[in-house]
Structure formats: structure tokens, C-alpha cells
Amino acid sequence: MSDIVLIAPPIREFYLTKKRTIPYGLACIAKQLEQAEFSCTIIDALARNKSKIIEYPKKFSHLIPHYGRTDITLFSLFHHYRHFGYSFEHIANLVRQERPFLVGISALFTPYWGQALDTARQVKRFWPSAFIVLGGHHATQFPETCLKCKEIDFVIQGEGEAPMVQLARQLKNQAPGTLPEADDLRQISGIGFKQGNGIVLNPPAWADSPHGLDQNALDKIDWHFYQRNKKAAITIVASRGCPFSCSYCAVSASSNYGKFRIRPVKDVLDEIKLQVRSKQIGFIDFEDENLTLKKSWALELLDGIRQIFKGQDIELRAMNGLFPPSLDTEILTAMKATGFKTLNLSVGSFSATQLKRFRRPDVRQAHDRVLDIAKDLDMDCVSYLLGAAPGQTAATTLNDLLTLATRRTVAGLSIYYPAPGSADYVLCEKQELLPHDFTSMRSTAFPVVDTTSRLEAVTLLRLARILNFLKFCVDQNGVLPKALSADEILDMENSCHGEMDRYEASTLLIRLFLTDAIPRGMDHEGRIYPHPHSINLCKKFIQTLKNITLFGAVQSSSSQGADLIPDSTRIDH
């Protein structure tokens, strides 16, 4: 049995990247609770490999024309909507077995708020004597909305390590169903609670110098689930916050998030050493916003990691993205030597106007310089763009994609969603662009319709996938698939039935697309069908490809670009 149970709830989504769902934040809170002599258990509802196909929410009816049919191609979007993780009843039963006096539930992302609430409801039903506190980004941004739910007794705004300890001390000897004195609760940093018919909210709590995990906290994570190639895949957070003021980001200096704070290098290395003692590590993801922003610190960290894993094969990634101006030959060489094989580069846009609208530093020249260095070091790259934001046209995003077509990098396009707490969220609210419910506030739902229509947004995302498949073809074959004649298109659409290999199907449909600019899908029976699309965007995409040299994504010196038409005009970079 445990005094306190911390829960990472299930989520409902079209996909899940499980190596990014490690409950690192809950483990940080568990560390502080146990150091304060409270026994603590983490229930990670996502630590299971099975998922359940469920119906689309009613608010997602607009997605059915785009996602509603199976597409086996390698550049397909999404299809099934799923419940990832344990059932709410199973979680509640696990809580009842622990018999805690306090249950903390993580609500990190607003579109998954419904699953956090359903978890709270079932926990209250199975174990009504426990107090329930909700924390995370959603609770920080919408504390009053959360507290209006009868199952939620408290919220914590900001970072939860110190507030959870303070709250636990107040509640430890409290009778079930009775709250401490309001004056005592007001002394807890970041806390929100109900008082009579009103709600009391203290300012968010931010740690001055955040630290990581000890062995006790690490042991509470189910590392058997988080594996990559039969080795442990771990997460490290070496810094918190961000000094930049990008309008779309809820962790930026323009939001109400805490300031940028870097952990001491020794503290980070000690945490990694603890992990090495208990498991064989094959992958480390740094979930920092700006891992390499302070060069001397980053070089010291990389040197320390090399000493820890000397002679071992390990891969490092910074999947939240790297700031290109912070990367030079010295630091990239050190990253390569330490185990970075792929660089996730944050760009935003190649449009000066759009970068200004995003309040984003202009990283375009630095991005191209990094690609050149990465090529010499034989490192792969993924370049991240943001599309369909307020005021951003579809033509701007298409030009961004076509710019990446002429670079040796994978195109990573994210469709804009309004992140609560960001400057753009306030803008969307003022312009009445916000979706009408929290569930729709996700990239996969194309939530904002402004200067880019929803059909254009879906088309752009599909074109990004198509572009990356074309880059794959260049890397594999040195040339692009050939277009077809009109007669060949009709013949193939009418005669193509039965199961087909994914690569073969993808190549066939790409050849069709390069001929008439119609993106198509193929179901498991081999039936070909057209996807809804913006024909203007698709035609401009293909026409531009005819006049440039399209490069693959592999940064090998032997990798060559490919022309759609051999004697076309080249644009080399």
C-alpha cells in the first residue's frame, strides 16, 4: 500500500510515440515525496503495448473523409482512432489496491484532458476516501475549469514537486471528505482549491533550480515497456523553459511558463550513471527545449556522456528540436562522437514574413549551414515546419516544403494547433478561431481554419508525407518514379485488386500522383481511391518539382539529387 499514487492517464488519439510518454515528471514528484517520507507509487497507464480501436468523437466528423478509409501506402495519414493504455476501471482498481490518501493525476496536454477527468471519476468511484489533485499544463492553464468538476479536489499550477509535498503534509491526517483550513491551504505554492461557492488560486509554482531523479524514483518507471532494440530507452530533462518568445509556444518567455533553467552538468550525469547501473541503455531522448543553447555546458555534458558509455553503441536524440544557430562544427562533432545520429532541427518557416509573425528568430541560414556540416559528419537531419497557423497561407507552407525538397533532410510538418498559454492562443481567442471543445485542440484534428482552409491543411500534410517518400526513392534508387500516361492511369485504377506490398503500392500511387496531381490511397484489398485534396496545391507541388533538383534525406556523400525530368532546370543548394 502507498500513501500517494501518481497516475499518467491513458490517451485517445490516432497514434502514439511511446518513447516520448515516459512519466518523467511524475517520477520527479515521486522523488520529492519519498524524500519527505511519503510512500509513493506511479501507475503508468500507457505502459502497455495494446490499444483499442474506438469510434471517432462526434466533434471529429470532419475528419472522416480524410481518415475514414484504410490506406496502406507509406505516405498515408491516419485511420483508426484508439484508446491507448489501461481502461479507466483498471486504473481505479489499482488505486484501490494501494489505498492512498492522495491521488495525483497528470493532465499534460489539453486535448487529452477528457481522459484525465475520466480517470479521476473512476478513481473517486472505486476509492472515494482519497483526495484527488490534478497537475500538468492543462491544470495550470485552466484551473477553474478543472475545479468545477466535483471529482477534483485540488489543482497544482506550475511544477509539482514542492506543492505536492506541501499538500501531502496538509492532508496526511485529514479525515476523508474534510478539507484543511483555507488559510493553511493558501500557504501551498501553486495550489488551487474550492472554498464555499468560490475558487482560490495561488500563483503557479516554479522551481528555482530543478533537479532530476534518484534511484528510488527511477525504480518506479516500467523500463521493460520503454525499450528500443531490446535495450532501455530513457528520457532526460536537462533544462526547463525557454528564453525565446515564439508566439505559438506555451513554454516560451512570452507565456506564463517558468524561466529558462539549466541543471548542473554533474547532476545530469549522475542521473545517467544511476540508470546505467540498473539497465542496459541503448537510447536517450533529451526532452529539452534548448539542449545546446549554452555551448560550454553542452560540450561538458557530451564529454561526460562519452566517458560513461565509452566503447558502447548508444543513440542520442533531442526530439523536441535543436536551435540551429547554437550548432557549429565543434558541437556537432562532439554530438556525433557521443551518439547523435540524427539532428531534429527547429525551423518554423522559411518565410521572413511568417517568422516575424511567429516572433521566431530567423534560423534559415544557420539551418542550411548545419545541413552542410551534418553532411560532412554523415549525420541525418529532420527539419520541422509549422503550417496552417493564423495568418499563414497555404502557399507559404507549400513553399516551405519545396524549400526542404532541395535540401538533404526529412520534412517534418506540424499542423498548427493553439497551445493554451501561448501568445497565439490569446490571438485565436480574440479572433474567435478556437475550436469549441478541448478534444479538438490537437494537430491531427486541423483545429484552426483561418487563411489556410482545412482542406488545404490536410493536403499540405499529405504532400509532406509524399515529399519524404520521394526523398526515400532518391536515396534508394537515385531517381524518382516515372509518371504515367492517362491511359495507363485508367487501366491501373480498374485492374488493381488484391493484396499488394506497401512499397509496391506506394510506388504505383506516386506514379499516378506525378501524372495527374491526384493523391490516392489503397485499401487492404488493393482498391485505389482518391483522397480529398486541394488540386491547386498538388499541381503547384508537381510543377515546382519539375524545375528543381530534389535531394534525398540521407546525408551520405554518395547520395545524389534527382530530377523529375532529366533535362529540367536545376536549382542546386
Side-chain angles (χ1 to χ4, degrees):
M1 295 189 294
S2 299
D3 295 326
I4 300 165
V5 171
L6 304 177
I7 302 174
I11 69 169
R12 291 180 170 178
E13 185 54 278
F14 293 99
Y15 72 100
L16 179 72
T17 307
K18 77 175 188 178
K19 59 179 171 285
R20 301 195 71 185
T21 65
I22 295 172
Y24 188 91
L26 292 184
C28 289
I29 294 173
K31 170 188 173 183
Q32 298 301 320
L33 287 169
E34 297 229 330
Q35 287 182 350
E37 300 184 348
F38 293 100
S39 58
C40 184
T41 294
I42 293 177
I43 298 176
D44 181 2
L46 292 172
R48 64 193 303 267
N49 285 315
K50 293 183 179 179
S51 63
K52 180 181 179 181
I53 297 173
I54 58 177
E55 291 185 2
Y56 287 21
K58 292 181 180 179
K59 301 287 186 179
F60 283 8
S61 60
H62 64 281
L63 297 177
I64 294 175
H66 307 289
Y67 298 164
R69 192 169 176 181
T70 302
D71 184 356
I72 68 169
T73 63
L74 293 168
F75 41 83
S76 61
L77 299 183
F78 311 107
H79 179 42
H80 290 306
Y81 190 67
R82 298 176 182 271
H83 177 104
F84 292 96
Y86 293 133
S87 70
F88 303 112
E89 293 80 5
H90 181 66
I91 297 168
N93 188 50
L94 293 175
V95 171
R96 181 168 56 187
Q97 292 173 25
E98 294 295 332
R99 305 174 66 85
F101 71 84
L102 178 60
V103 174
I105 300 175
S106 173
L108 286 178
F109 302 105
T110 291
Y112 311 137
W113 144 247
Q115 287 84 77
L117 178 57
D118 286 342
T119 301
R121 285 172 173 161
Q122 292 302 321
V123 168
K124 210 68 166 179
R125 185 166 74 91
F126 278 59
W127 188 240
S129 63
F131 293 101
I132 294 182
V133 56
L134 196 76
H137 184 72
H138 181 80
T140 300
Q141 299 302 324
F142 304 105
E144 293 181 331
T145 300
C146 298
L147 285 170
K148 287 178 182 177
C149 302
K150 63 181 182 179
E151 295 84 4
I152 297 171
D153 301 299
F154 306 97
V155 296
I156 289 177
Q157 304 165 86
E159 294 165 343
E161 291 98 326
M164 276 295 288
V165 172
Q166 296 170 33
L167 181 61
R169 285 172 176 159
Q170 288 285 347
L171 298 177
K172 184 176 183 181
N173 299 314
Q174 199 71 29
T178 64
L179 293 176
E181 293 295 326
D183 287 346
D184 293 331
L185 290 174
R186 289 176 187 271
Q187 304 306 309
I188 300 175
S189 57
I191 198 75
F193 61 95
K194 304 160 189 171
Q195 185 179 21
N197 294 324
I199 289 175
V200 177
L201 298 175
N202 286 342
W206 307 107
D208 292 331
S209 53
H211 292 273
L213 306 178
D214 59 13
Q215 189 61 58
N216 220 5
L218 290 169
D219 290 342
K220 298 182 186 302
I221 297 175
D222 184 2
W223 296 110
H224 296 290
F225 175 75
Y226 297 104
Q227 290 195 351
R228 183 184 176 103
N229 299 323
K230 298 182 179 181
K231 295 182 180 180
I234 69 170
T235 289
I236 298 290
V237 178
S239 62
R240 298 185 189 180
C242 179
F244 299 114
S245 299
C246 302
S247 63
Y248 52 80
C249 181
V251 187
S252 72
S254 62
S255 69
N256 63 351
Y257 195 82
K259 65 181 182 180
F260 182 49
R261 294 147 292 161
I262 303 178
R263 290 170 57 189
V265 169
K266 182 180 183 303
D267 186 48
V268 180
L269 293 176
D270 286 346
E271 181 180 330
I272 295 174
K273 290 175 184 177
L274 282 177
Q275 306 240 39
V276 168
R277 291 171 192 163
S278 60
K279 61 185 74 73
Q280 186 177 16
I281 298 172
F283 184 84
I284 301 177
D285 173 34
F286 286 92
E287 281 290 315
D288 298 69
E289 301 296 326
N290 293 285
L291 181 66
T292 56
L293 199 57
K294 187 176 180 181
K295 182 177 178 179
S296 59
W297 177 90
L299 288 172
E300 183 183 352
L301 176 65
L302 293 168
D303 180 66
I305 294 173
R306 285 197 300 277
Q307 298 304 315
I308 295 172
F309 293 99
K310 189 177 296 184
Q312 299 181 45
D313 182 21
I314 184 170
E315 181 179 358
L316 279 64
R317 290 284 286 270
M319 298 185 75
N320 255 352
L322 295 161
F323 185 56
S326 69
L327 304 173
D328 58 19
T329 300
E330 182 182 11
I331 199 163
L332 286 172
T333 301
M335 291 173 74
K336 168 76 174 182
T338 309
F340 276 90
K341 300 175 183 178
T342 302
L343 303 173
N344 297 59
L345 304 175
S346 298
V347 181
S349 176
F350 286 93
S351 162
T353 301
Q354 188 58 46
L355 287 172
K356 186 176 181 180
R357 187 179 288 117
F358 282 153
R359 305 182 197 171
R360 170 128 180 103
D362 189 339
V363 304
R364 293 175 294 177
Q365 289 187 356
H367 168 265
D368 289 353
R369 175 179 51 78
V370 170
L371 292 186
D372 289 339
I373 301 172
K375 180 175 180 291
D376 293 338
L377 294 173
D378 200 23
M379 300 174 77
D380 292 330
C381 298
V382 183
S383 302
Y384 291 102
L385 304 169
L386 189 60
Q392 185 177 19
T393 65
T396 298
T397 307
L398 181 62
N399 288 337
D400 287 343
L401 286 174
L402 291 167
T403 299
L404 291 182
T406 63
R407 271 81 167 164
R408 285 190 177 90
T409 184
V410 172
L413 176 63
S414 296
I415 298 299
Y416 173 88
Y417 68 94
S422 67
D424 274 353
Y425 184 90
V426 177
L427 175 67
C428 287
E429 194 170 33
K430 289 180 178 178
Q431 296 183 356
E432 298 183 347
L433 296 174
L434 291 178
H436 296 299
D437 67 295
F438 287 143
T439 302
S440 299
M441 213 170 291
R442 64 183 81 196
S443 182
T444 51
F446 309 99
V448 172
V449 178
D450 188 30
T451 42
T452 297
S453 71
R454 182 169 283 139
L455 182 63
E456 288 173 328
V458 178
T459 303
L460 288 166
L461 186 59
R462 204 175 293 283
L463 289 175
R465 301 283 180 97
I466 288 172
L467 173 60
N468 287 330
F469 181 74
L470 292 173
K471 284 175 170 285
F472 171 79
C473 293
V474 171
D475 289 330
Q476 293 293 307
N477 308 313
V479 295
L480 292 171
K482 293 181 180 179
L484 300 168
S485 68
D487 290 340
E488 287 176 309
I489 289 179
L490 184 61
D491 181 60
M492 287 187 176
E493 286 187 318
N494 291 333
S495 64
C496 191
H497 294 287
E499 293 185 9
M500 185 178 289
D501 173 79
R502 288 191 74 191
Y503 177 74
E504 181 185 1
S506 301
T507 303
L508 170 61
L509 266 61
I510 278 292
R511 295 182 67 191
L512 296 175
F513 172 72
L514 293 176
T515 304
D516 62 9
I518 298 175
R520 296 171 174 85
M522 179 183 288
D523 62 23
H524 288 296
E525 287 70 43
R527 290 185 289 263
I528 298 174
Y529 61 93
H531 288 298
H533 60 283
S534 164
I535 190 63
N536 290 335
L537 288 177
C538 292
K539 285 183 175 180
K540 183 177 179 182
F541 178 81
I542 292 176
Q543 187 58 45
T544 305
L545 287 184
K546 292 178 180 179
N547 296 304
I548 64 173
T549 298
L550 188 147
F551 280 92
V554 177
Q555 290 280 22
S556 169
S557 57
S558 61
S559 176
Q560 302 296 320
D563 290 328
L564 188 61
I565 300 176
D567 60 351
S568 63
T569 304
R570 284 172 168 261
I571 301 177
D572 292 312
H573 294 268

